[in-house]
């Protein structure tokens, strides 16, 4: 037999290990993602926000006993931005807006990571069972999903949070209940599609177990849209969370952007714009950054949108 | 190649001479569901009573056009889907097969307990949808499959080493450096090498991907491989490489192939025996040389005429095709399934009411006035129109010169009363495959024993 | 390219429908510029069928699509050459041909479907699933034959109807045509269209064309859809029909019927055909002349007889030997080993030298030229060139058997 690799084909030279190959591929992908300037901008903003959240105790003196509560300086009420010690100004209750912005980034990061983490895992699990097992199980799970999808996200989360009482933990719980449905639906559709590929049948012919087929063939080829959706949701969840805390479903005084916007809104009419506009801008920045990154990822990872 | 492995199942006596695969009366029906309640309203008869054996070390070619059921049958044989009826047997000894044939003639109620016990024993040991545990594992590793589409049959997220080494891992045959060595051996046996180990499928051409597929199929050293159009997606020059490779591998390893294809040139080159399928049924079966030298079914002849040999005849030689389209496999024609398109059809081929209705639909507008059909049987029905003119017109048309002579010859009675037209055809028994000499089987009544009664 | 085997100039202009000269189509890719078609030249004479044969990626489809400028730009780019086209009128009054690559877009739109029609490999994708067959075929008449629609009108058709025949009706006019006095006229127009569509479909031997007109693409079989495509393509009596693998998706028995049909209609309509296929046994049945393409170049042109009985280029020979046939013993199928070379920045060498058993040093160094592309025999291989012409020693010339049995 003759090796049919003709000279001139652009294949990487010689033998390299599996790890090197995978790293090289990851490198290629990330380079491709970052080639798009808006995606790159999104990533820069995200890195900035996360750094800020990580350095919160360095940037500000943590409040005691609970750092996530706004410190109150009753001696400095309604100070405008630029005041020494209160670079972004203070609220009508003497809260330092800069402190709120910095620790609010932590709150937001915590919220979006918990909610996205839980919903991705739970939603993927439910969607996988529905799509992979099929039949009656699929029928039942998808009907539940249909019902949940028929209720507007925000209103449903609002209802749950309202029933459970105002607390930040309840907001996280409410968002988790709402957001998994999307993932279940996405992954189910993907799995049903991927299952039809011959490589799944190839694995069956080889005699591999169902779980292995799911783990090696079906899931890895189905997760891409979930990754994209999760990135978008990292932004979206903060948006919804801020909305819920804005209307008072979080504890008062929490260092959270929505709460701060809510606290400062009364002052806007009398010219004290900073107390609500600056935290509001943070919410905007956060959501924008993740949307930019998510769109960039979609263009590269999901061939159906014509990115490749 | 690699070291000798312990055979999981000791070969039984007589196994060497037994055909590797015996297909007995296999049917595969797919339900057609309709409505909100997903009620089953009919069945697509993808495979409808097919039987053959594949002797050890030989290649059986399965030919037919798209929708004839050849791929479905291949998938049944590979255990990817279960047959609706009939059995697929692995290493079924001659004596057992004769016993089963004998039992087919005996109604179930009249079989003795002893008979039943023996059938059960045969089924558990040889019938692939009844196998359990070790026998199933043994079949699973002895029967492999190569898919048509080399792009979709390789997991795009796995490296070649993982793809080809996967069967070895599943059966815990090798791991670590030994696994790598085995994979390299396999790659070398299909003309590739160590340099391809850590690459993704998308880095390869179609021909190379098909080589990887073949290497994976060889990993467990199977006895039998189902090749489902392995080269039809490839260019001619690559196709010839793959066909040569498959032949070499068969020679070296004594493999048995089921070669599914629509390409007569390929099947002739690769097969010992050829089975020609049409609409789920076998039309003809013969050795490759016999089938091409003396086809005994008009469908085979039509296939040959539509796809003449490249180097035979001259440029002007006519290339004949077939009229009409393949009928709906949910309602296959009576008698010979090919009669609706057959250039050699005669009145005894199984003409039925549906043929007359289909003819009216294609050649007139009378069916626009159709209001209902009441069937006494497939051969006898009352077709109701909205007015008597349409019925009279339809009658005149069916009696007219435009209708094909065989269909008209099969008409028993045609009577219009008011808006109703009763169409009666001569009833015909289903056709059966018959040996017309030296293992050449055909179902065409022009060639079987029925021809004497025509 | 020099044309050694050309016909005299006078003959050429009267006899030709199209002449492709040194066509180059490149694609921008991440890895570099892909030379998909790299200097292709051939002629199509009036009424003849030219086959363009080659394997995946050889540039045959790109060449065909360039006739109608169907290559998306970017990433594609017409990097050079010309495609000259003589319409019937141009041939009749001896005017100059148009260059399809440089005429304005509005002209190419008028040529598409009217003077040059194309049928595709997958009729399922080329037909609009949301429109009835009638509408899709009628479109061609509205677009290119609106005069014919009004030809048998007694008296002068009102301007509203004239605009309707050209599909230029405004909203108001469209509503007006629903009411008297225009309604009867609009009906007449519609009936005329129906008749023409029915005729066009009947010509492709579709049974019961009236019924087919009312159906949608998904209700038809593949063969039937391809017939509709052919009816659509031939509705305007085009000068040139480009058939891009029209039967690849069909079963063999249907394929033979479609091929027959194309041949019959070609004679009836006096149309030239450019037939693209990878299947040698098909082009042999339908084509007068064949151009074998390899890696963006033409390897060899000749009459069908010449190509099949005296193939000259080693690639053509390999290709013919690789088709399974009665002559082969199992496992002894001649294979062209190796793969098609990358077409990104190809070096100046014979494209086939990596797979050619006769290749010598000069094949790696010098790019062989197709020795003429007119209506005659030409081959791009150093084996047929005298050593003096290349300026090398006789021993360096690849030694192939120039007249195989």
């Amino acid at each position: 037999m003759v090796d049919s690799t003709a000279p001139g084909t652009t294949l990487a030279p010689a033998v390299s290990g599996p790890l090197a190959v995978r790293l090289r591929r990851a490198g290629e992908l990330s380079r491709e993602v970052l080639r798009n300037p808006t995606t790159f901008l999104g990533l820069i903003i995200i890195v900035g926000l996360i750094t800020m959240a990580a350095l919160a105790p360095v940037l500000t003196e943590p409040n005691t006993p609970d750092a996530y509560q706004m410190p109150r300086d009753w001696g400095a009420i309604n100070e405008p931005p630029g005041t020494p010690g209160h670079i972004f100004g203070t609220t009508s209750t003497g809260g330092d807006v800069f402190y709120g912005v910095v620790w609010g980034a932590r709150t937001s990061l915590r919220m979006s990571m918990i909610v996205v983490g839980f919903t991705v895992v739970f939603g993927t699990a439910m969607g996988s069972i529905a799509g992979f097992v099929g039949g009656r199980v699929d029928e039942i799970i998808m009907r539940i999903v249909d019902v949940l999808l028929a209720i507007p996200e925000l209103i449903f989360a609002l209802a749950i949070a309202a029933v459970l009482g105002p607390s930040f933990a309840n907001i996280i719980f409410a968002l988790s209940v709402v957001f998994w449905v999307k993932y279940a639906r996405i992954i189910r559709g993907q799995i049903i599609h991927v299952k039809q590929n011959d490589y799944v049948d190839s694995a069956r012919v080889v005699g591999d177990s169902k779980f292995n087929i799911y783990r090696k063939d079906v899931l890895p080829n189905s997760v891409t849209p979930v990754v994209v959706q999760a990135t978008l949701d990292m932004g979206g969840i903060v948006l919804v969370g801020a909305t819920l805390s804005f209307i008072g479903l979080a504890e008062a005084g929490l260092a959270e952007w929505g709460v701060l916007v809510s606290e400062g809104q009364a002052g806007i009419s009398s010219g004290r714009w900073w107390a609500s506009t600056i935290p509001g801008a943070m919410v905007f920045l956060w959501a924008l950054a993740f949307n930019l990154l998510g769109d960039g990822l979609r263009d590269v990872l999901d061939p159906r949108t014509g990115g490749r | 190649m690699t070291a000798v492995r312990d055979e999981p199942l000791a070969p039984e006596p007589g196994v060497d001479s037994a055909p590797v695969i015996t297909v007995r009366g296999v049917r595969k029906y797919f339900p057609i569901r309709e409505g909100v309640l997903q009620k089953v309203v009919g069945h697509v008869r993808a495979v409808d009573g097919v039987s053959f054996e594949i002797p050890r070390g030989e290649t059986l070619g399965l030919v037919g056009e798209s929708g004839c059921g050849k791929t479905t049958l291949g998938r049944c044989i590979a255990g990817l889907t279960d047959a609706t009826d009939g059995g697929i047997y692995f290493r079924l000894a001659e004596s057992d097969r004769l016993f089963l044939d004998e039992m087919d003639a005996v109604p179930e109620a009249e079989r003795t307990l002893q008979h039943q016990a023996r059938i059960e024993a045969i089924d558990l040991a040889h019938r692939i949808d009844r196998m359990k545990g070790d026998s199933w594992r043994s079949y699973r590793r002895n029967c492999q499959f190569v898919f048509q589409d080399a792009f979709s049959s390789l997991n795009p997220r796995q490296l070649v080493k993982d793809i080809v080494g996967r069967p070895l891992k599943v059966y815990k045959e090798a791991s670590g450096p030994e696994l790598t060595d085995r994979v390299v051996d396999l790659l070398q046996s299909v003309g590739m090498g160590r340099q391809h180990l850590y690459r993704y499928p998308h880095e390869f051409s179609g021909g190379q991907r098909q080589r990887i597929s073949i290497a994976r199929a060889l990993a467990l050293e199977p006895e039998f491989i189902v090749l489902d159009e392995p080269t039809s997606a490839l260019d001619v020059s690559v196709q010839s490489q793959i066909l040569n490779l498959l032949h070499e591998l068969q020679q070296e390893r004594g493999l048995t192939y089921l070669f599914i294809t629509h390409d007569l040139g390929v099947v002739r080159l690769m097969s010992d025996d050829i089975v020609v399928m049409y609409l789920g049924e076998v039309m003809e079966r013969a050795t490759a040389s016999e089938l091409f030298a003396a086809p005994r079914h008009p469908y085979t002849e039509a296939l040959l005429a539509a796809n003449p040999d490249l180097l035979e005849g001259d440029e002007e030689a006519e290339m004949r095709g077939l009229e009409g389209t393949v009928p709906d496999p949910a309602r296959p024609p009576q008698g010979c399934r090919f009669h609706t398109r057959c250039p050699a059809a005669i009145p005894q081929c199984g003409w039925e009411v549906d043929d007359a209705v289909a003819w009216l639909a294609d050649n007139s507008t009378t069916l626009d006035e159709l209001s209902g059909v009441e069937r006494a049987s497939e051969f006898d029905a009352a077709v109701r129109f909205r007015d008597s003119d349409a019925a009279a017109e339809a009658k005149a048309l069916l009696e007219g010169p435009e209708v094909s002579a065989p269909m008209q010859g099969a008409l028993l009675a045609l009577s219009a009363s008011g808006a109703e037209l009763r169409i009666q055809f001569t009833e015909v028994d289903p056709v059966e495959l018959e040996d017309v000499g030296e293992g050449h089987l055909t179902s065409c009544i022009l060639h079987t024993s029925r021809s004497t009664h025509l | 390219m020099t044309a050694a085997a050309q016909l005299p100039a006078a003959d050429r202009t009267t006899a030709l429908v199209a002449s492709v000269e040194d066509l180059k189509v490149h694609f921008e890719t991440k890895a570099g510029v892909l030379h998909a078609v790299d200097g292709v030249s051939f002629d199509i004479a009036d009424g003849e069928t030219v086959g363009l044969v080659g394997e995946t990626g050889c540039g045959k489809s790109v060449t065909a699509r360039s006739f109608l400028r169907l290559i998306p730009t970017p990433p594609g780019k017409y990097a050079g050459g010309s495609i000259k086209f003589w319409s019937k009128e141009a041939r009749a009054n001896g005017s100059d041909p148009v260059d399809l690559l440089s005429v304005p877009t509005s002209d190419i739109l008028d040529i598409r479907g009217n003077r040059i029609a194309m049928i595709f490999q997958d009729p399922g994708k080329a037909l609009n699933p949301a429109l009835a067959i009638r509408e899709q075929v009628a479109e061609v008449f509205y677009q290119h034959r609106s005069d014919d629609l009004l030809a048998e009108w007694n008296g002068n058709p009102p301007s509203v109807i004239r605009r309707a025949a050209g599909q230029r009706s405004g909203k108001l006019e469209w509503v007006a045509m629903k009411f008297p006095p225009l309604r009867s006229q609009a009906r007449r127009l519609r009936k005329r269209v129906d008749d023409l569509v029915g005729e066009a479909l009947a010509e492709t031997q579709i049974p019961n064309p009236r019924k087919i007109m009312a159906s949608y693409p998904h209700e038809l079989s593949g063969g039937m859809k391809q017939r509709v495509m052919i009816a659509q393509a031939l509705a305007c009596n085009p000068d040139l029909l480009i058939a891009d693998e029209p039967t690849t998706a069909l079963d063999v028995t249907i394929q033979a019927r479609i091929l027959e049909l194309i041949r019959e209609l070609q004679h009836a309509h006096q149309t030239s055909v450019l037939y693209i296929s990878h299947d040698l046994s098909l082009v042999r049945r339908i084509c007068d002349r064949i151009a074998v393409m390899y890696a963006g170049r033409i390897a060899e042109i000749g009459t069908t007889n010449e190509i099949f009985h005296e193939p000259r280029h080693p690639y053509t020979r390999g290709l013919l030997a690789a088709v399974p046939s009665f002559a082969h013993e199992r496992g002894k199928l001649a294979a062209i080993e190796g793969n098609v070379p990358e077409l990104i920045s190809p070096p100046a060498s014979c494209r086939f030298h990596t797979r050619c058993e006769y290749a010598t040093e000069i094949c790696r160094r010098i790019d062989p030229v197709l020795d003429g592309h007119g209506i005659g025999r030409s081959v791009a291989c150093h084996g047929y060139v005298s050593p003096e012409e290349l300026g090398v020693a006789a021993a360096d010339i690849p030694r192939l058997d120039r007249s195989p049995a």
Side-chain angles (χ1 to χ4, degrees):
Chain A
M1 285 306 312
V2 173
D3 182 0
S4 53
T5 319
T9 47
T10 52
L11 289 179
V15 184
S16 49
L19 186 68
V21 173
R22 284 180 205 279
L23 281 177
R24 178 159 51 84
R25 185 152 194 224
E28 276 167 20
L29 273 181
S30 43
R31 233 168 295 140
E32 200 166 335
V33 170
L34 295 178
R35 188 174 300 153
N36 185 342
T38 54
T39 316
F40 189 67
L41 177 70
L43 196 71
I44 293 288
I45 300 175
I46 291 169
V47 169
L49 289 168
I50 291 178
T51 314
M52 185 169 80
L55 295 180
V58 183
L59 294 172
T60 59
E61 176 86 6
N63 194 13
T64 46
D66 182 359
Y68 288 98
Q69 282 291 324
M70 291 289 286
R72 301 290 175 198
D73 181 356
W74 294 103
I77 292 170
N78 289 337
E79 295 281 357
T83 313
H86 302 292
I87 185 164
F88 284 167
T90 57
T91 67
S92 57
T93 49
D96 180 21
V97 176
F98 182 69
Y99 189 92
V101 163
V102 171
W103 286 87
R106 270 203 166 194
T107 318
S108 297
L109 192 62
R110 201 169 51 149
M111 171 166 67
S112 47
M113 280 188 20
I114 293 173
V115 176
V116 168
F118 169 79
T119 54
V120 164
V121 171
F122 188 69
T124 303
M126 296 310 276
S128 297
I129 293 169
F132 196 66
V133 178
R136 186 137 289 159
V137 181
D138 180 25
E139 220 31 52
I140 293 168
I141 294 177
M142 290 327 284
R143 288 304 78 79
I144 296 173
V145 166
D146 283 345
V147 168
L148 290 178
L149 276 175
I151 308 167
E153 256 166 28
L154 184 64
I155 296 181
F156 190 43
L158 186 70
I160 297 174
V163 167
L164 297 176
S167 100
F168 188 65
N170 288 344
I171 290 182
I172 288 181
F173 176 77
L175 291 178
S176 301
V177 172
V178 172
F179 271 83
W180 69 269
V181 183
K182 244 191 283 181
Y183 296 103
R185 184 162 245 209
I186 292 172
I187 200 93
R188 173 184 174 269
Q190 280 291 308
I191 284 180
I192 286 173
H193 177 74
V194 167
K195 259 204 320 192
Q196 289 163 357
N197 276 304
D198 285 343
Y199 55 78
V200 175
D201 278 336
S202 307
R204 288 175 60 202
V205 173
V206 158
D208 217 343
S209 67
K210 277 204 165 155
F211 181 70
N212 271 341
I213 292 175
Y214 169 73
R215 191 171 60 90
K216 289 183 181 170
D217 299 306
V218 177
L219 191 62
N221 287 295
S222 311
V223 289
T224 313
V226 169
V227 172
V228 173
Q229 186 62 45
T231 313
L232 295 172
D233 277 353
M234 284 291 288
I237 279 162
V238 167
L239 214 56
V240 180
T243 311
L244 293 180
S245 20
F246 173 78
I247 53 180
L249 290 173
E251 298 95 338
L254 187 71
E256 205 274 344
W257 296 334
V259 175
L260 284 178
V261 174
S262 166
E263 263 184 41
Q265 60 160 337
I268 289 184
S269 50
S270 34
R272 298 191 301 273
W273 54 272
W274 57 88
S276 60
T277 316
I278 293 176
M282 295 309 294
V283 175
F284 167 77
L285 210 57
W286 181 280
L288 175 76
F290 279 102
N291 271 312
L292 290 179
L293 181 66
D295 278 342
L297 281 178
R298 169 153 47 207
D299 286 347
V300 174
L301 297 177
D302 192 352
R304 277 174 306 175
T305 50
R308 223 209 289 244
Chain B
M1 266 300 302
T2 45
V4 186
R5 293 191 331 261
D6 52 331
E7 186 77 359
L9 212 67
E12 294 165 39
V15 143
D16 278 347
S17 61
V20 174
I21 294 291
T22 307
V23 175
R24 299 183 74 256
V26 165
R27 287 170 214 281
K28 177 71 189 179
Y29 291 1
F30 293 103
I32 307 168
R33 293 172 198 277
E34 251 174 37
V36 192
L37 296 174
Q38 295 287 291
K39 216 173 79 184
V40 176
V41 293
H43 287 94
V44 171
R45 305 186 191 183
V47 180
D48 209 3
V50 172
S51 305
F52 55 74
E53 296 101 57
I54 314 178
R56 180 170 305 270
E58 291 199 1
T59 302
L60 182 91
L62 196 56
V63 210
E65 297 179 284
S66 56
C68 74
K70 55 188 194 300
T71 293
T72 307
L73 181 59
R75 290 175 60 87
C76 287
I77 292 175
L80 283 168
T81 63
D82 282 340
T84 312
D85 190 22
I88 293 153
Y89 299 83
F90 180 54
R91 294 177 183 162
L92 183 69
E94 175 83 8
S95 56
D96 286 341
R97 185 177 64 81
L98 289 174
F99 172 75
L100 289 174
D101 286 349
E102 206 179 292
M103 282 300 112
D104 281 346
V106 181
E108 211 156 317
E110 290 169 30
R111 290 179 195 160
T112 63
L113 281 178
Q114 226 176 340
H115 287 152
Q116 280 167 14
R118 184 160 174 206
I119 292 176
E120 185 70 11
I122 293 173
D123 278 2
L124 284 178
H126 299 290
R127 193 170 136 173
I128 63 164
D129 53 346
R130 299 285 312 277
M131 287 176 175
K132 293 255 158 16
D134 278 354
S135 6
W136 172 246
R137 276 171 68 86
S138 154
Y139 183 66
R140 193 59 297 162
R141 54 184 302 164
N142 270 304
C143 166
Q144 291 298 314
F145 201 104
V146 174
F147 293 84
Q148 168 179 1
D149 183 358
F151 284 81
S152 134
S153 67
L154 304 177
N155 184 343
R157 309 250 167 187
Q158 282 190 324
L159 297 168
V160 169
K161 187 200 154 203
D162 298 326
I163 292 171
V164 178
R166 182 150 179 195
L168 300 172
K169 261 192 194 158
V170 169
Y171 291 89
K172 303 199 170 56
E173 295 240 325
S175 58
E178 198 207 336
L179 181 75
T180 311
D181 287 346
R182 294 270 300 264
V183 171
V184 170
D185 280 347
L186 286 164
L187 286 175
Q188 276 165 355
S189 68
V190 297
M192 299 179 71
R194 190 176 280 275
Q195 71 273 25
H196 298 120
L197 273 181
Y198 300 112
R199 291 201 185 141
Y200 288 100
H202 70 85
E203 297 176 65
F204 295 95
S205 67
Q208 286 173 315
R209 282 159 174 256
Q210 207 54 292
R211 286 174 195 267
I212 296 169
S213 282
I214 295 170
R216 171 176 59 190
L218 293 174
L220 296 168
E221 294 174 29
E223 257 180 65
F224 172 60
I225 302 180
V226 178
L227 303 159
D228 184 7
E229 306 240 16
T231 61
S232 60
L234 304 176
D235 277 321
V236 196
S237 67
V238 183
Q239 163 172 291
S240 54
Q241 296 172 9
I242 300 290
L243 292 179
N244 284 347
L245 169 68
L246 287 170
H247 177 72
E248 272 168 38
L249 292 170
Q250 183 169 37
Q251 294 296 301
E252 279 166 21
R253 297 163 183 241
L255 291 165
T256 307
Y257 288 151
L258 174 65
F259 201 106
I260 301 171
T261 181
H262 68 276
D263 188 325
L264 287 168
V266 171
V267 82
R268 182 178 198 279
L269 186 74
M270 298 300 291
S271 314
D272 297 292
D273 281 343
I274 295 176
V275 169
V276 181
M277 277 182 81
Y278 181 78
L279 258 185
E281 279 187 349
V282 174
M283 296 284 118
E284 186 171 12
R285 173 179 178 186
T287 59
S289 48
E290 169 87 7
L291 190 93
F292 279 81
R296 298 217 188 158
H297 198 291
Y299 180 61
T300 315
E301 285 168 13
L303 281 179
L304 289 172
N307 193 7
D309 193 83
L310 183 65
L311 302 171
E312 212 187 47
D314 62 304
E315 286 72 44
E316 297 306 311
E318 211 189 330
M319 218 167 141
R320 275 177 294 119
L322 285 175
E323 294 292 342
T325 47
V326 182
D328 180 6
R331 286 184 55 80
Q334 300 297 308
C336 172
R337 292 195 172 175
F338 182 55
H339 78 256
T340 57
R341 301 170 72 201
C342 182
I346 53 169
Q348 290 82 353
C349 283
W351 298 94
E352 55 176 313
V353 177
D354 278 4
D355 295 330
V357 172
W359 187 87
L360 284 174
D362 278 353
N363 294 282
S364 76
T365 51
T366 50
L367 286 195
D368 296 347
E369 302 296 318
L370 186 77
S371 69
V373 180
E374 200 173 291
R375 282 171 211 273
S377 77
E378 301 296 343
F379 300 99
D380 181 359
V383 181
R384 241 176 285 118
F385 293 90
R386 277 197 206 94
D387 59 70
S388 50
D389 290 351
E393 196 194 333
K395 179 169 184 281
L397 279 168
L398 285 176
E399 284 168 342
E402 282 174 53
V403 179
S404 72
M407 183 155 100
Q408 234 159 21
L411 263 178
L412 205 58
L414 195 63
S415 54
S417 58
E420 199 175 86
L421 178 69
R422 180 146 184 233
I423 306 174
Q424 271 177 288
F425 279 97
T426 323
E427 274 193 47
V428 169
D429 293 332
V431 294
E432 265 159 33
L433 271 184
E434 199 177 296
D435 194 332
V436 292
E438 284 145 40
H440 191 142
L441 279 71
T442 178
S443 70
C444 181
I445 56 169
L446 291 171
H447 296 280
T448 61
S449 57
R450 273 202 218 169
S451 63
T452 54
H453 307 296
L454 299 178
Chain C
M1 303 258 144
T2 52
Q6 266 179 12
L7 294 177
D11 273 341
R12 274 175 60 90
T13 42
T14 50
L16 292 187
V17 167
S19 172
V20 181
E21 285 208 43
D22 201 22
L23 175 69
K24 288 185 175 144
V25 186
H26 296 173
F27 287 89
E28 284 297 337
T29 68
K30 265 183 278 177
V33 178
L34 181 88
H35 296 232
V37 175
D38 209 12
V40 160
S41 307
F42 64 94
D43 291 345
I44 304 172
D46 188 18
E48 93 173 325
T49 304
V50 174
L52 212 49
V53 201
E55 299 182 287
T56 312
C58 71
K60 56 187 192 300
S61 268
V62 173
T63 305
R65 277 155 198 262
S66 303
F67 274 76
L68 294 175
R69 293 231 299 261
L70 290 175
I71 304 294
T73 48
K77 186 177 158 220
Y78 297 103
S82 66
I83 303 178
K84 297 215 172 64
F85 173 68
W86 288 263
S87 64
K88 280 199 182 88
E89 296 81 58
R91 260 171 294 151
N93 44 28
S95 49
D96 284 340
V98 291
D99 179 5
L100 296 173
L101 294 185
S102 60
V103 294
T105 313
S106 58
D107 289 11
I108 204 86
L109 288 179
D110 194 49
I111 289 172
R112 271 185 209 165
N114 188 17
R115 309 280 32 111
I116 303 179
M118 189 154 178
I119 47 181
F120 297 90
Q121 173 173 352
D122 191 344
K125 280 183 191 154
L127 290 171
N128 181 344
L131 282 182
I133 298 299
R134 179 198 177 276
E135 315 301 328
Q136 315 210 21
V137 182
E139 183 84 2
V140 184
F141 290 102
Y142 286 129
Q143 289 279 335
H144 300 296
R145 283 178 65 187
S146 55
D147 293 344
D148 284 11
L149 291 178
L150 306 170
E152 285 164 31
W153 216 271
N154 349 321
N156 244 357
S159 60
V160 176
I161 294 297
R162 222 174 295 142
R163 270 202 293 279
Q167 271 188 333
R168 284 173 283 123
S169 310
K171 276 250 165 61
L172 258 178
E173 286 173 331
W174 194 76
V175 174
M177 280 190 292
K178 299 250 172 222
F179 297 96
L182 284 173
R183 191 165 70 167
S184 61
Q185 306 245 32
R187 273 204 196 143
R188 240 169 88 194
L189 176 67
R190 194 180 156 81
K191 188 168 175 308
R192 173 86 178 131
V193 173
D194 278 355
D195 288 347
L196 285 172
V197 170
E199 264 170 42
L201 290 175
E203 211 181 6
T204 61
Q205 295 160 18
I206 287 178
N208 209 347
R210 293 277 159 176
K211 192 178 130 200
I212 299 292
M213 274 163 67
S215 37
Y216 286 83
H218 69 93
E219 298 171 297
L220 305 180
S221 67
M224 212 55 94
K225 275 186 260 190
Q226 198 55 279
R227 280 168 202 262
V228 171
M229 288 293 301
I230 293 171
Q232 215 177 23
L234 293 178
C236 291
N237 280 312
D239 300 308
L240 176 63
L241 173 69
I242 299 174
D244 190 358
E245 307 238 12
T247 64
T248 306
L250 306 175
D251 278 326
V252 278
T253 57
I254 309 283
Q255 168 175 299
R257 298 283 307 153
I258 297 287
L259 225 52
E260 234 170 83
L261 181 70
I262 293 178
R263 205 154 55 171
E264 276 168 28
L265 292 178
Q266 179 198 1
H267 288 306
H269 286 253
Q270 290 292 310
T271 302
S272 307
V273 177
L274 178 62
Y275 194 95
I276 314 334
S277 180
H278 69 279
D279 189 330
L280 288 161
S281 57
L282 284 188
V283 291
R284 178 169 184 237
R285 303 287 150 178
I286 197 169
C287 296
D288 303 316
R289 284 194 308 129
I290 292 171
V292 180
M293 282 190 76
Y294 183 78
R297 289 279 173 85
I298 288 183
E300 179 169 11
I301 302 184
T303 64
T304 306
N305 209 17
E306 287 166 340
I307 295 288
F308 280 90
H309 294 291
E310 298 164 44
R312 288 194 180 160
H313 200 283
Y315 175 63
T316 316
R317 292 182 187 175
L319 212 53
L320 287 173
V323 178
S325 88
F326 294 100
H328 292 109
E329 213 178 304
R330 201 185 301 178
K332 294 282 169 58
L333 206 53
I336 307 175
E337 299 297 353
N339 291 324
V340 182
E342 284 283 306
L343 294 179
I344 289 166
S345 319
S349 63
C350 175
R351 299 277 160 91
F352 189 59
H353 82 264
T354 52
R355 301 170 80 185
C356 180
E357 53 182 315
Y358 305 104
T360 62
E361 180 52 32
I362 63 161
C363 300
R364 279 176 271 276
R365 222 156 28 81
I366 305 172
D367 206 352
V369 177
L370 193 66
D371 51 1
H373 64 276
I375 311 287
R377 189 75 202 275
S378 30
V379 57
C381 177
H382 292 317
Y384 296 91
V385 181
S386 62
E388 299 82 56
E389 215 173 301
L390 280 171
V392 295
D396 289 341
I397 294 289
R399 248 170 305 202
L400 357 63
D401 179 6
R402 292 196 184 189
S403 53

